[in-house]
Amino acid sequence: MSSAFLLRFKQPSVLPGFGITLGYTLLYLGLIVLLPLGALVAKASSIGLTGILFAAADPRVSAALWTSFGVSLIAAGVASLFGLLVAWVLTRYDFPGRKIVDAMVDLPFALPTAVAGIALAALYAPNGWVGAFLEPLGIRVAYTPLGIFVALVFIGLPFAVRTVQPLIAEIERELEEASATLGASRWRTVRSVLLPPLLPGLLTGFALAFARAVGEYGSVIFIAGNLPYVSEIAPLLIVIKLSEYDYTGATVIATIMLAISFATLLLINLIQAWSRRRFGYV
Amino acid sequence: MTNKFSHVAEAKTRFRSGSVWPTIGLIVMSGVGLLTLSGAASAQTQLLNVSYDPTRELYREINQAFADEWKASTGETVAVRASHGGSGAQARTVIDGIEADVVTLGIPSDIDAIAKVTKKIPADWRNKLPNNSLPYTSTVVFLVRKGNPKGIKDWDDLVKPGIQVITPNPKTSAGGRWNFLAAWGYSHTKDGNADKAKGFVTALYKNVPVLDTGARGSTVTFAQRGLGDVLPAWENEAFLVLDEFGHDKFEIVVPSLSILAEPPVTLVDGNVDAKGTRKVAEAYLKFLYTDKAQAIFAKHHYRPIKAEAAKPEHLAELPNLKLFTIESLQGNWDDIQKNNFDSGGLFDQISKR
Amino acid sequence: MSDLSATLPLSPPSQLSVVTEKRLIRQLAITVALAFLLLFLVLPLIVVFVEAFKRGLAGYFAAFQEEDALSAIGLTLTVAAIAVPLNLVFGLTASWAIAKFEFKGKSLLITLIDLPFSVSPVVSGLIYLLLFGAQGLWGKWLMAQGIQIAFALPGIVLATIFVTFPFVARQLIPLMQEQGTAEEEAALTLGASGWRTFFTVTLPNIKWGLLYGVLLCNARAMGEFGAVSVVSGHIRGLTNTIPLHVEILYNEYNFVAAFAVASLLACLALITLALKSFLEWRHGADLAGGTVN
């Protein structure tokens, strides 16, 4: 490798090990992530774009994609709202057990999804602790789309909380005091001084929660009921297509899901770039 | 070069000082993991039986009985592993390369599929073991909630509007296919015509709110999640639900006519030769035809082919009903699978929305 | 992207009246937030243990006397013992290359490292099946050589590595970026070798962050369900991990045993959370490279 090329590619540094660490990183990334994903894309491209669109137009496939998409959006939204509230309460207010509650927020992240799935199903089933209360009200959570929603809010919550929490902690008290001294009501201060800087964090949290929710499998399948056209999610349909020995169908749905993942990551990067310009931080 | 080595030595000295204990811990952990691996590789003979969904409890007992018998007769230890799931889905894992020594699936066409795609099973596998490679048979009965609140008595009640029928996906589950074929055969026998039978299954599947991948999934949906009014199920699975969930919650309804369900077994020649397990795998399949195994089948509510080997009280539990074979109505298995369940077949035609 | 590292010193909030809400609103907000967390987080955790002990201690421990349960535990430990160190080494090399040097295409590289995080677990399993299944790209050739990857340990390990891929790297990159290169440069100027610089300067600086990343990586590796489920083949006593064993027990109506085994994973989650909180409390400043991202 000519040093001229290296110079253009990399800024000079006295630290050693660039070649070997970057080389290993690229090799490992290529073998574990890019190559297998490439196999998926290659398989999908053998079907062709029209083939993919045709398969995606299948009523059951499109119903599953819409269920995954729609419920994930709503769940990520709800998780973001309550995440903001939880983050606010945890950073701004003092109450007994605050540190324990703060630690508990990460539970959905540490608890295996299958465990979450059976626990939520047991809890929200018509004969479960919570489900028994909702049943007389005519609300059925387990084995309906509402069940998917509950599972996805559970999954998304830590992302929503942890992205806004540090931003709330960094709010400068002087700004609030200034706003108050200038005669703004507390609500107005919250609305026009405190909330705008939290927006990038909220959006990032929303996108992260959505990204996790849309692909989530373990916690959902136990509680969803898995009715085609009603509560069947796209990842489950991939598994079903595989069971039917329909590799093409499974690949098509997987490719669409992969495209959604890419788009979400891109969105997150855009939010952060925008935030850097607008607020000077990420 | 020498220079580099001395740096490594320095690094090692630093290592001992303990400031990087997490790294050390992890390296030790990975070492232990690799040791476990190599240890596992040199274990005793293992047989893998890839089976269908409701046979979990059955094969647990059969496998133990066979291991005991094998130990007693040869002195060798054998561990029979089992894997369960929808029969079609299980066939798919064998096609995809799971190293099954024997397959004990829910319907002949799934074994045909493995034979066709992988050539690991000869096309004439049916002739290799007695009774068309069927050590036992079964049928489809109805499971309803206690007191039969919807008054379900026969197949005709399943197509009535407002009745919810829980049945697995015929594409992935053998039980699902037997249910489909049983309903079709009932209508065909009654009305004597294939068009009416098609209309009958169309109406029936309109009443199905959920198609699980395997029979066990459907049972959980019906029994545990409380969905649906009737579960057409493997006879053995219906009895199992009564045992597991209590006779006070469910009851079995026996239709006037049902299908003779034929779950076959066979050797995966390609795999046993590669693994060197042919002898013990063949002995395992032969064992399924012994009196001992036949008695275990009856105990788990399957219909043994040697009735005299079973305990009379187990046989007495199995209801008497008229059974037909699907081959007598639709010809050979290639056609049955192709016309009903392959892409574009009858099931695809009726499930278009 | 978040790495869940939000480690903020929980300073006692000021109760100055102009910069906080009315008492009533405060209490209402706390109540709603706690009720929400109770409903969505605490109750599911409690229900696992209640269901697990429904038939008493004997019923609970009966679940662990089964050979299949023990081999599932063994397999899960083995998988984590292989996947976590591999991702640890990757995390170290990737963060060294990314945080200590400036080069073109860096942000693309970071995005690619993040990718497995947002790929559905089911897709993560499927891609390895497309490569290593008997009908897959290389499956036939590998099988002819007697190498079994799908439905065996290597497949399960690969799927686990994929889903836990970004964890250590994402924890270390911001941390190393924050710390800059001045200390390493000084060590090198004083004549230390690259290895020595790494072990004596860099590693002590990042050890807590590293441990933190490993902790999260391990929790996810031991609990992964979707990806492993696709490549496992579900052979009892052979390719069943703990989460898959939970599903099997659940499908066999053996709910007490299912929740008993699940409680093991719940305990793992609680231990992870406790260690994580301890690290944040004790070494908060050494953990996070500033704020999120």
Side-chain angles (χ1 to χ4, degrees):
Chain A
M1 195 185 291
S2 78
S3 57
F5 170 75
L6 246 170
L7 268 180
R8 257 183 289 133
F9 169 62
K10 162 188 170 267
Q11 289 178 17
S13 164
V14 294
L15 294 188
F18 177 72
I20 185 149
T21 53
L22 187 71
Y24 181 74
T25 301
L26 292 177
L27 180 76
Y28 193 76
L29 178 76
L31 285 180
I32 299 285
V33 178
L34 300 183
L35 192 73
L37 286 178
L40 176 72
V41 175
K43 175 104 185 165
S45 59
S46 72
I47 306 158
L49 189 65
T50 47
I52 292 178
L53 291 178
F54 185 73
D58 173 79
R60 188 168 171 197
V61 173
S62 59
L65 285 169
W66 280 120
T67 306
S68 275
F69 237 127
V71 180
S72 299
L73 278 177
I74 301 170
V78 170
S80 296
L81 278 183
F82 277 93
L84 175 64
L85 178 71
V86 169
W88 184 269
V89 165
L90 284 176
T91 15
R92 280 303 183 106
Y93 304 153
D94 205 8
F95 55 92
R98 188 168 57 105
K99 281 189 176 168
I100 292 176
V101 173
D102 190 57
M104 281 294 291
V105 167
D106 282 331
L107 181 75
F109 192 78
L111 194 70
T113 54
V115 178
I118 63 170
L120 289 170
L123 204 57
Y124 288 89
N127 52 358
W129 293 349
V130 181
F133 280 102
L134 300 174
E135 186 78 359
L137 306 173
I139 304 171
R140 267 212 157 182
V141 178
Y143 323 128
T144 71
L146 209 53
I148 307 178
F149 166 79
V150 167
L152 295 185
V153 170
F154 176 86
I155 293 299
L157 187 72
F159 300 97
V161 176
R162 295 310 189 207
T163 43
V164 283
Q165 206 174 4
L167 300 185
I168 295 176
E170 281 181 3
I171 292 173
E172 287 166 38
R173 295 268 163 173
E174 291 78 7
L175 279 179
E176 291 182 74
E177 283 163 14
S179 166
T181 14
L182 290 173
S185 69
R186 180 63 190 160
W187 172 234
R188 175 129 192 232
T189 307
V190 168
R191 216 182 40 199
S192 42
V193 176
L194 299 181
L195 284 186
L198 301 183
L199 197 60
L202 264 177
L203 287 175
T204 309
F206 175 84
L208 286 170
F210 173 76
R212 274 309 290 272
V214 85
E216 177 57 22
Y217 176 71
S219 61
V220 175
I221 55 161
F222 290 99
I223 197 177
N226 310 329
L227 300 175
Y229 303 98
V230 179
S231 60
E232 186 174 66
I233 54 165
L236 175 68
L237 197 54
I238 295 178
V239 173
I240 291 177
K241 291 274 180 197
L242 268 182
S243 305
E244 291 176 356
Y245 208 65
D246 180 2
Y247 265 86
T248 314
T251 309
V252 166
I253 307 173
T255 313
I256 297 171
M257 302 287 293
L258 189 65
I260 295 174
S261 311
F262 263 122
T264 319
L265 275 182
L266 191 68
L267 180 74
I268 293 170
N269 283 349
L270 285 178
I271 294 170
Q272 296 186 340
W274 165 75
S275 161
R276 245 188 303 267
R277 279 200 311 275
R278 172 79 172 70
F279 300 101
Y281 60 83
V282 189
Chain B
M1 226 29 208
T2 46
N3 205 11
K4 222 173 208 167
F5 278 120
S6 71
H7 296 325
V8 175
E10 277 168 20
K12 277 183 182 154
T13 332
R14 184 67 202 172
F15 233 84
R16 279 191 212 98
S17 74
S19 75
V20 287
W21 57 268
T23 324
I24 298 170
L26 281 161
I27 289 165
V28 170
M29 254 170 73
S30 66
V32 171
L34 288 171
L35 280 177
T36 326
L37 263 186
S38 52
S42 61
Q44 80 281 53
T45 316
Q46 289 195 349
L47 273 192
L48 174 58
N49 173 3
V50 170
S51 192
Y52 60 113
D53 227 358
T55 55
R56 298 157 189 261
E57 295 77 12
L58 169 72
Y59 277 111
R60 187 173 304 155
E61 191 165 346
I62 293 267
N63 293 347
Q64 191 54 50
F66 173 72
D68 294 346
E69 183 112 340
W70 187 254
K71 180 97 186 165
S73 64
T74 68
E76 292 169 30
T77 317
V78 60
V80 188
R81 307 283 183 201
S83 143
H84 300 272
S87 183
Q90 292 291 88
R92 202 257 319 162
T93 62
V94 177
I95 291 172
D96 261 346
I98 205 167
E99 290 181 314
D101 299 282
V102 300
V103 285
T104 57
L105 295 177
I107 198 162
S109 49
D110 282 333
I111 297 185
D112 287 336
I114 302 173
K116 253 180 228 149
V117 181
T118 68
K119 310 269 187 264
K120 282 180 177 172
I121 297 174
D124 62 342
W125 59 268
R126 279 186 187 77
N127 308 327
K128 304 278 174 184
L129 288 164
N131 192 34
N132 281 330
S133 298
L134 298 166
Y136 61 90
T137 62
S138 188
T139 186
V140 173
V141 296
F142 303 154
L143 192 72
V144 297
R145 302 195 187 280
K146 190 70 190 176
N148 198 355
K150 296 282 165 96
I152 286 155
K153 297 206 172 56
D154 209 342
W155 289 99
D156 294 311
D157 297 314
L158 269 54
V159 299
K160 287 182 180 159
I163 298 290
Q164 282 200 327
V165 184
I166 304 296
T167 177
N169 183 353
K171 293 240 178 187
T172 56
S173 153
R177 265 170 282 176
W178 290 118
N179 289 349
F180 181 93
L181 295 172
W184 189 92
Y186 168 82
S187 169
H188 191 270
T189 309
K190 204 179 105 189
D191 305 316
N193 124 24
D195 284 339
K196 284 243 171 86
K198 181 178 176 181
F200 189 80
V201 288
T202 309
L204 196 154
Y205 279 83
K206 279 229 162 65
N207 283 347
V208 177
V210 53
L211 289 168
D212 285 294
T213 355
R216 189 48 65 89
S218 286
T219 313
V220 169
T221 300
F222 180 78
Q224 216 235 329
R225 302 179 180 170
L227 238 64
D229 303 308
V230 54
L231 177 83
W234 290 100
E235 186 178 38
N236 50 283
E237 186 79 353
F239 275 103
L240 184 79
V241 171
L242 292 190
D243 293 344
E244 293 283 339
F245 286 88
H247 293 252
D248 54 334
K249 289 200 180 108
F250 301 99
E251 59 187 60
I252 289 175
V253 170
V254 181
S256 65
L257 175 74
S258 194
I259 196 164
L260 179 75
E262 301 163 273
V265 302
T266 200
L267 191 73
V268 188
D269 284 85
N271 287 348
V272 290
D273 287 342
K275 289 165 73 179
T277 47
R278 176 177 282 274
K279 205 176 100 203
V280 56
E282 279 176 344
Y284 178 76
L285 288 174
K286 219 171 254 161
F287 176 76
L288 300 180
Y289 290 89
T290 60
D291 286 1
K292 194 173 196 174
Q294 291 287 315
I296 297 176
F297 288 137
K299 182 181 159 198
H300 289 271
H301 312 290
Y302 297 83
R303 297 177 175 235
I305 55 168
K306 284 157 110 182
E308 66 279 9
K311 283 195 179 151
E313 71 261 32
H314 291 145
L315 289 181
E317 284 182 343
L318 300 172
N320 256 324
L321 77 166
K322 230 166 67 188
L323 300 176
F324 65 88
T325 66
I326 192 63
E327 284 166 286
S328 70
L329 300 179
Q330 293 197 354
N332 69 48
W333 272 104
D334 278 347
D335 290 340
I336 295 169
Q337 174 68 23
K338 200 174 86 209
N339 297 338
N340 295 293
F341 306 117
D342 280 355
S343 190
L346 189 58
F347 181 73
D348 275 356
Q349 295 164 29
I350 68 161
S351 53
K352 279 231 165 67
R353 294 218 177 182
Chain C
M1 173 163 303
S2 154
D3 37 32
L4 291 176
S5 65
T7 49
L8 21 136
L10 286 168
S11 55
S14 149
Q15 303 291 331
L16 216 75
S17 70
V18 289
V19 291
T20 188
E21 288 70 44
K22 288 198 189 78
R23 195 182 154 80
L24 187 72
I25 293 182
R26 278 211 309 271
Q27 279 171 347
L28 190 72
I30 293 175
T31 314
V32 171
L34 290 185
F36 174 81
L37 293 178
L38 179 79
L39 213 57
F40 276 84
L41 296 188
V42 184
L43 281 182
L45 189 63
I46 294 174
V47 92
V48 171
F49 290 95
V50 170
E51 293 281 332
F53 285 100
K54 220 169 196 169
R55 299 216 186 110
L57 275 176
Y60 182 82
F61 286 109
F64 299 105
Q65 267 143 23
E66 233 191 298
E67 195 198 331
D68 290 344
L70 296 178
S71 80
I73 294 169
L75 178 64
T76 294
L77 292 176
T78 310
V79 169
I82 301 171
V84 174
L86 283 174
N87 277 343
L88 165 74
V89 172
F90 165 74
L92 282 173
T93 54
S95 53
W96 180 267
I98 289 171
K100 302 290 182 192
F101 300 94
E102 286 305 322
F103 56 91
K104 281 187 183 147
K106 193 164 161 177
S107 55
L108 176 69
L109 183 59
I110 296 180
T111 307
L112 287 177
I113 290 175
D114 277 340
L115 190 58
F117 170 85
S118 62
V119 170
S120 172
V122 172
V123 178
S124 320
L126 172 68
I127 52 178
Y128 289 106
L129 220 49
L130 289 177
L131 280 182
F132 301 118
Q135 314 300 316
L137 209 52
W138 300 329
K140 236 180 197 118
W141 184 83
L142 285 168
M143 299 249 172
Q145 317 302 311
I147 302 169
Q148 178 90 11
I149 291 185
F151 313 119
L153 183 73
I156 300 173
V157 170
L158 279 173
T160 307
I161 291 179
F162 185 94
V163 292
T164 56
F165 189 84
F167 283 64
V168 180
R170 284 306 308 187
Q171 185 62 37
L172 291 185
I173 291 170
L175 188 56
M176 280 201 188
Q177 270 172 341
E178 179 96 335
Q179 285 165 352
T181 55
E183 285 186 49
E184 280 85 0
E185 280 162 8
L188 287 164
T189 327
L190 292 173
S193 71
W195 278 109
R196 188 175 165 131
T197 307
F198 175 74
F199 280 110
T200 53
V201 177
T202 313
L203 204 53
N205 276 339
I206 59 165
K207 64 182 174 192
W208 297 118
L210 184 67
L211 186 62
Y212 191 91
V214 165
L215 204 62
L216 296 182
C217 182
N218 181 62
R220 186 70 201 273
M222 288 191 171
E224 178 51 31
F225 175 75
V228 171
S229 160
V230 174
V231 293
S232 133
H234 306 265
I235 309 169
R236 291 160 163 277
L238 211 59
T239 62
N240 257 335
T241 60
I242 304 179
L244 296 182
H245 191 61
V246 170
E247 187 202 19
I248 283 189
L249 291 169
Y250 191 78
N251 279 342
E252 287 175 2
Y253 320 125
N254 202 343
F255 300 122
V256 170
F259 279 101
V261 178
S263 75
L264 212 61
L265 291 170
C267 285
L268 172 77
L270 287 177
I271 293 169
T272 304
L273 288 188
L275 282 174
K276 183 174 170 295
S277 303
F278 174 78
L279 282 178
E280 283 167 4
W281 167 66
R282 195 58 210 281
H283 303 281
D286 297 335
L287 277 186
T291 62
V292 182
N293 199 37

